[in-house]
């Protein structure tokens, strides 16, 4: 099956109203900005978005937030976008806060078929309210449910034609975890290379997890060509 899509909007066919969407990135680093840009053009609503943050005001996932397509967000760091707080205060957005390590483990567990796990992180805080608690080895733990998505937008460096992925430094962040935890995975990459071109030791996400591949959009700036 040919996984390479001619456009980002074509790759979004599987995203439906009410879906849970996993989106990689830490701030705007490692965020699949070409796919997010295409999402602006798709008629979809009531999304639950799982991401470290919602971009910045008018940038990244901030664009989608301002289109009122996001019903709920699950993540760790939303203060980089003041629009998140404003929508929450107005009752237009539900927020579920998770510590970054907890979110990463919840995604890993979801991808591994594990229903949940116990952690000491957030014990004794408001984030633990309403969650199951258990004492293990004289320590109190809370239960966190795993996270799975209907669709994942991930950002990688290179893909071969089968969909094997490599990542670029810290732009890797949550992307490989999200690639395992969704039913349908769309990878945005800088470059697509022939099968056999990638060093097997450098492949982080095997092609089994990838359903569609899109080449990142490049724009011309004063400093030269820049990947979106």
């Amino acid at each position: 099956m040919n996984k390479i899509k001619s456009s980002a909007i074509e790759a979004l066919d599987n995203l439906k109203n009410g879906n849970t969407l996993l989106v990689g990135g830490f701030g705007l680093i490692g965020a699949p900005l070409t796919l997010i840009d295409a999402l602006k053009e798709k008629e979809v609503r009531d999304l639950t978005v799982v991401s470290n943050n919602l971009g910045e005001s008018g940038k990244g996932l901030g664009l989608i937030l301002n289109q009122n397509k996001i019903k709920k967000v699950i993540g760790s760091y939303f203060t980089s976008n003041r629009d998140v707080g404003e929508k929450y205060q107005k009752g237009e957005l539900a927020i579920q806060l998770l510590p970054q390590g907890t979110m990463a483990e919840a995604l890993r567990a979801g991808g591994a078929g594990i229903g949940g796990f116990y952690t000491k992180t957030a014990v004794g805080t408001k984030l633990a309210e309403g969650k199951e608690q258990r004492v293990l080895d004289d320590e109190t733990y809370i239960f966190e449910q795993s996270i799975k998505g209907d669709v994942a937008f991930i950002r990688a460096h290179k893909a071969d034609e089968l969909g094997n992925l490599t990542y670029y430094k810290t732009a890797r962040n949550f992307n490989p975890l999200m690639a395992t935890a969704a039913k349908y995975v769309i990878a945005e990459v800088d470059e697509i290379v022939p099968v056999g071109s990638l060093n097997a030791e450098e492949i982080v996400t095997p092609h089994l997890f990838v359903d569609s591949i899109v080449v990142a959009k490049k724009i011309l700036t004063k400093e030269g060509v820049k990947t979106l």
Side-chain angles (χ1 to χ4, degrees):
M1 182 183 73
N2 184 12
K3 299 179 180 180
I4 302 171
K5 302 299 180 182
S6 58
S7 68
I9 193 67
E10 179 190 357
L12 269 54
D13 284 348
N14 284 65
L15 184 64
K16 310 297 182 186
N17 293 338
N19 274 180
T20 295
L21 173 64
L22 313 182
V23 183
F26 188 101
L28 297 178
I29 302 300
L33 298 178
T34 298
L35 291 172
I36 293 170
D37 196 55
L39 183 53
K40 291 190 306 182
E41 310 305 319
K42 184 174 177 65
E43 292 296 327
V44 68
R45 62 182 184 275
D46 295 333
L47 297 175
T48 294
V49 172
V50 181
S51 187
N52 179 64
N53 62 291
L54 286 182
E56 300 174 7
S57 184
K59 296 180 181 179
L61 282 169
L63 293 167
I64 310 307
L65 176 69
N66 292 340
Q67 290 183 318
N68 299 313
K69 292 177 178 178
I70 301 174
K71 176 182 68 176
K72 178 180 179 180
V73 60
I74 302 171
S76 304
Y77 183 71
F78 299 120
T79 54
S80 62
N81 186 350
R82 67 178 62 189
D83 298 336
V84 176
E86 291 177 2
K87 286 190 173 292
Y88 174 75
Q89 293 293 337
K90 293 177 182 177
E92 298 173 357
L93 179 70
I95 294 177
Q96 181 181 341
L97 283 173
L98 283 178
Q100 287 181 357
T102 300
M103 189 177 83
E105 179 61 12
L107 289 163
R108 189 201 67 81
I114 298 169
F117 57 96
Y118 289 94
T119 176
K120 292 191 291 184
T121 305
V123 169
T125 73
K126 286 188 175 293
L127 296 184
E129 291 179 359
K131 296 181 179 178
E132 177 192 346
Q133 296 193 12
R134 187 171 179 181
V135 177
L136 301 169
D137 294 329
D138 298 323
E139 297 274 5
T140 300
Y141 292 76
I142 58 173
F143 182 78
E144 293 284 358
Q145 190 171 335
S146 63
I147 294 175
K148 292 182 282 187
D150 297 296
V151 177
F153 289 0
I154 64 170
R155 184 69 162 89
H157 180 39
K158 291 183 181 180
D160 68 14
E161 292 163 336
L162 289 175
N164 294 301
L165 304 179
T166 66
Y167 297 86
Y168 184 73
K169 298 182 178 180
T170 58
R172 172 171 170 171
N173 53 64
F174 297 98
N175 286 293
L177 295 171
M178 291 182 171
T180 68
K183 297 174 186 175
Y184 192 87
V185 176
I186 309 169
E188 174 186 325
V189 300
D190 292 311
E191 182 182 3
I192 300 173
V193 299
V195 175
S197 299
L198 300 178
N199 184 333
E201 297 298 325
E202 296 176 349
I203 293 171
V204 177
T205 298
H207 65 88
L208 296 172
F209 294 106
V210 178
D211 299 287
S212 293
I213 311 167
V214 172
V215 176
K217 188 188 301 181
K218 293 179 171 57
I219 58 175
L220 185 63
T221 69
K222 291 180 180 179
E223 292 76 27
V225 176
K226 179 182 177 182
T227 301
L228 185 62

